[in-house]
Amino acid sequence: MSTDAVDPLEFSPWDFWRDSGVEQQAAQRERQQSLVDGHPGRRLGMDCFVSALASVDPEILQLGDRTYVAAGAYLTGELRTGADCSINPYTVIRGRVTMGDAVRIGAHTSILGFNHSMEPGTPVFRQPLTARGITIGDDVWIGSHVVILDGVSIGSHSVLAAGAVITKDVAAGAIVGGNPAKLIRWRVAPATEPAPARSRGLGERVAEFGARARSEASAILDRAWSGERMLFADRPGAAPTVRAQADAIEIADLLLGVAPPQRTASEHIALLQGWQDAETGAVAPLGPDGLPLAGLDFSHDDVAYHVLSVGYALDLLGSEFPAMITWVTDTTPQRVVEFCQALPWSTDAWRAGHHVDALGTALRWERSAGGSAPAGVEEALFGWLLLNADPHTGMWGSATPDRGLLPVVNGFYRASRGTFAQFGVPVPHPERVIDTVLRHAHDPRWFSAGARDACNVLDVAHPLWLTRDTGYRAEEVQDLASRVLSDALGGWSPDAGFSFREPSPSTRGLEATNPGLQGTEMWLAIVWYLADLLGISDALGYRPRGVHRPEPAAL
């Protein structure tokens, strides 16, 4: 054999770490190190292989364990894979592409997570690129010469036949082929039970869950109560926080219909009102001495959230903030516009939405207190949001390389909750909102088993509930709601409630999987919204009335 012959392992690398020699393995490790050095967006798992004959130049490259890239492959853009994925010879992957575990890609396949605009009057090469991204689930077999176009979601356990052109989403378990691809048969058949029957079965579980939650509510509150500090902590061993007091009040109201019995209602009111700064109206986080920290204003994330949590806790107790919230009483319409424009929509849409939520809720409290906010301030806030909603996503802000649509969807929930939902105003572009949420809910980084947390699930459930009257993609919405609700009901811990993050074998031991007040309060609301999307929320025997109330509050 010629000394300059190409090593066959470059094209067939699945047995590289078993069959290669010491020098070959050393060269491979050196190649992988050269790929990640100086590139913070690149990360390669254990026992990966990247051929020296592949063109690998993405901004983001995250390969799971035992994933290989064979000779001739061409990778650019943002690629994230799970474990045990194969990218075979001459595969092209460009744009924003996310795969789950065990995705097998045949040779000469093109996965194109971007596109060109093609409006008339301008040459295509001068037109801007668009990128919606492609999501591929777990255990997917993609044959040779397949083409997958931007914006498509491929369900887990599906098979794409050789030569297929994928222009639309592929359902989980489907075998598709042709141009454009159509269903051939099922590899894993979908549930044959109709949605109403599934809902009836879930309805029984929901009723049992509601009864259990009410019967264990007192134990949950006792578990989080610090008798020494006379305050609630999120869970045993944690420090007391302002939010924990508010979460306890929300849980007690939701499940018991009374204030937490550890204090009288008037004592709860006095405690919360006493934490409000009389000059600014802000409620700061607690220091080690149990008193609010000094010198913080509404730009602080916790101070902003306390406008919601403390305000609604006082509302549930039949009271209100004693001092005006100067954030809105001292502002002007122009300042509101400047405030919205200055928020980090392109880099952290969640944080931007967080502060819009707080501003909208501050306006809600001042309106109920007698309308002391200057004229035009509400109009400026809603006007900015309406004019700046992206007509393609229905939301505000931009996806990010490392988190995809997560900050956009989560930021939309926060911004719309505190404005459109709270004031009873229809959201702009509701069908695009549904498209974006359903696409995001296919992202395995946030919605595979064990990856879901209360924030991410609530921020999907509420927008789908808020736009439910459109009837758009209703079957897909109900299917998602039934699957997530079924899993959520299994996350309850006896006498402890819910953890913030969904427990699973892979997340065991993480702090976020310890049951606490925050997780319990949020998942109780999530369960209600998902059940209501399925028409079975009455079986729960509770309905949120605080931060997560479904009805408009500022009417």
Side-chain angles (χ1 to χ4, degrees):
M1 184 175 68
S2 171
T3 57
D4 60 352
V6 174
D7 185 343
L9 289 174
E10 297 287 343
F11 286 85
S12 305
W14 41 87
D15 291 327
F16 174 84
W17 294 104
R18 186 192 68 184
D19 296 344
S20 60
V22 173
E23 292 184 1
Q24 291 172 296
Q25 293 185 9
Q28 176 60 204
R29 292 191 182 94
E30 184 177 345
R31 169 155 172 75
Q32 292 188 25
Q33 191 63 47
S34 70
L35 285 172
V36 300
D37 282 347
H39 297 279
R42 296 181 181 180
R43 184 176 67 249
L44 308 183
M46 297 291 293
D47 295 331
C48 286
F49 176 90
V50 182
S51 172
L53 302 177
S55 177
V56 180
D57 190 28
E59 296 176 16
I60 303 294
L61 178 65
Q62 297 176 6
L63 302 184
D65 295 346
R66 298 172 302 282
T67 290
Y68 66 78
V69 179
Y74 176 34
L75 312 181
T76 68
E78 304 171 15
L79 173 61
R80 300 173 177 84
T81 81
D84 300 300
C85 293
S86 62
I87 301 171
N88 273 306
Y90 303 107
T91 292
V92 174
I93 303 179
R94 305 189 66 193
R96 189 167 63 246
V97 178
T98 300
M99 305 178 193
D101 295 332
V103 176
R104 318 300 280 183
I105 305 171
H108 297 277
T109 282
S110 295
I111 303 175
L112 307 173
F114 75 103
N115 211 335
H116 279 280
S117 299
M118 53 181 180
E119 287 75 12
T122 304
V124 170
F125 79 94
R126 294 190 183 278
Q127 299 213 21
L129 296 178
T130 61
R132 297 166 58 197
I134 293 170
T135 301
I136 302 171
D138 298 327
D139 180 34
V140 174
W141 181 14
I142 302 172
S144 296
H145 296 276
V146 169
V147 177
I148 304 176
L149 300 184
D150 187 33
V152 166
S153 176
I154 309 297
S156 296
H157 316 299
S158 57
V159 177
L160 314 185
V165 178
I166 312 298
T167 62
K168 296 181 180 179
D169 290 356
V170 175
I175 301 175
V176 302
N179 180 8
K182 296 180 180 179
L183 179 67
I184 299 174
R185 60 185 176 87
W186 293 98
R187 177 189 177 206
V188 180
T192 57
E193 187 180 27
R198 292 201 302 273
S199 296
R200 282 196 298 274
L202 266 180
E204 295 175 1
R205 292 181 61 197
V206 161
E208 294 172 358
F209 167 79
R212 181 176 188 178
R214 288 191 295 276
S215 69
E216 296 180 10
S218 294
I220 292 169
L221 295 172
D222 287 340
R223 177 176 179 268
W225 176 251
S226 171
E228 180 182 353
R229 303 288 296 272
M230 294 296 288
L231 293 171
F232 285 102
D234 182 68
R235 59 189 178 278
T241 62
V242 172
R243 177 165 186 163
Q245 317 316 304
D247 285 339
I249 291 167
E250 294 252 10
I251 293 167
D253 179 84
L254 196 66
L255 300 179
L256 302 175
V258 296
Q262 285 76 8
R263 292 178 181 264
T264 65
S266 59
E267 289 172 338
H268 284 295
I269 292 170
L271 177 70
L272 296 180
Q273 288 185 335
W275 285 339
Q276 189 188 29
D277 186 284
E279 293 185 6
T280 67
V283 178
L286 303 180
D289 58 0
L291 298 176
L293 297 171
L296 300 180
D297 60 20
F298 293 99
S299 64
H300 189 278
D301 286 351
D302 287 344
V303 175
Y305 190 75
H306 294 160
V307 175
L308 283 65
S309 58
V310 176
Y312 271 105
L314 287 168
D315 189 60
L316 291 173
L317 295 169
S319 187
E320 61 186 357
F321 282 122
M324 292 189 300
I325 301 176
T326 58
W327 192 14
V328 294
T329 59
D330 292 353
T331 194
T332 66
Q334 180 61 34
R335 289 178 186 169
V336 169
V337 171
E338 293 170 353
F339 165 79
C340 291
Q341 290 175 335
L343 291 170
W345 296 107
S346 62
T347 58
D348 192 352
W350 175 87
R351 189 168 189 270
H354 173 87
H355 286 271
V356 168
D357 189 0
L359 180 64
T361 305
L363 285 167
R364 177 258 188 274
W365 300 130
E366 291 307 320
R367 176 191 276 202
S368 65
S372 52
V377 166
E378 289 180 10
E379 290 79 0
L381 178 58
F382 279 89
W384 191 94
L385 292 171
L386 286 167
L387 290 173
N388 287 276
D390 184 340
H392 300 291
T393 65
M395 302 183 178
W396 305 277
S398 305
T400 62
D402 58 333
R403 293 181 293 169
L405 285 168
L406 181 70
V408 176
V409 174
N410 289 9
F412 175 83
Y413 160 69
R414 292 301 307 274
S416 63
R417 191 222 70 87
T419 55
F420 294 93
Q422 192 165 226
F423 284 76
V425 179
V427 297
H429 316 298
E431 293 187 355
R432 299 294 77 76
V433 169
I434 295 170
D435 286 337
T436 303
V437 169
L438 289 178
R439 180 180 158 210
H440 170 58
H442 283 101
D443 192 330
R445 291 176 294 173
W446 321 116
F447 289 93
S448 58
R452 292 172 289 209
D453 65 37
C455 183
N456 296 345
V457 177
L458 177 62
D459 296 1
V460 160
H462 186 270
L464 292 177
W465 186 89
L466 196 60
T467 55
R468 70 200 183 285
D469 289 343
T470 64
Y472 181 65
R473 300 180 71 174
E475 186 174 343
E476 295 170 79
V477 170
Q478 290 204 342
D479 181 67
L480 174 65
S482 64
R483 287 187 286 107
V484 177
L485 175 59
S486 180
D487 290 346
L489 295 175
W492 181 266
S493 296
D495 295 329
F498 285 111
S499 56
F500 179 76
R501 182 166 177 176
E502 189 178 66
S504 74
S506 64
T507 60
R508 185 178 294 113
L510 295 180
E511 184 176 341
T513 60
N514 293 326
L517 296 181
Q518 179 182 352
T520 300
E521 189 275 326
M522 293 183 70
W523 281 104
L524 287 171
I526 290 166
V527 167
W528 187 91
Y529 277 106
L530 295 174
D532 203 62
L533 282 168
L534 297 168
I536 55 175
S537 60
D538 287 348
L540 282 169
Y542 69 76
R543 185 183 185 90
R545 296 197 314 127
V547 172
H548 301 117
R549 60 178 293 152
E551 299 85 7
L555 293 178

